[in-house]
Amino acid sequence: MADQVPPTRMALQTYKGKKAGASKGHQLLKKKADALKARFRDIAKEIYKTKGTMSESCSTAYFSLTAAQRTTSPA
């Protein structure tokens, strides 16, 4: 079993300070996690838009390539 905390005023102040520091640290970590999640969502949206643009560009390029091959083939 862990050592007992002496029931003194100084011990109470020490543990209150530790609790306040832990609470502040927890809040800061929550804010950081929220900011990282928001940043991830923004990056994911950008990737989604880029993929859509690339899909359209590739299909247009493929259509142009097949059209050029049809016009230049000696058939």
Side-chain angles (χ1 to χ4, degrees):
M1 190 168 163
D3 293 330
Q4 293 290 324
V5 177
T8 61
R9 185 174 50 86
M10 288 304 293
L12 179 63
Q13 287 178 334
T14 301
Y15 282 99
K16 277 186 180 179
K18 285 183 180 182
K19 182 182 177 192
S23 296
K24 182 70 171 178
H26 183 259
Q27 289 172 353
L28 290 173
L29 286 173
K30 271 176 91 171
K31 284 184 181 180
K32 184 176 182 179
D34 291 342
L36 286 172
K37 287 176 189 175
R39 186 173 172 204
F40 175 77
R41 281 193 304 269
D42 292 341
I43 291 170
K45 285 178 188 176
E46 187 67 30
I47 289 171
Y48 181 75
K49 285 195 295 187
T50 304
K51 280 185 176 182
T53 304
M54 284 183 59
S55 175
E56 291 173 9
S57 298
C58 287
S59 64
T60 304
Y62 184 72
F63 179 75
S64 298
L65 176 67
T66 55
Q69 286 175 342
R70 260 189 265 133
T71 58
T72 59
S73 67

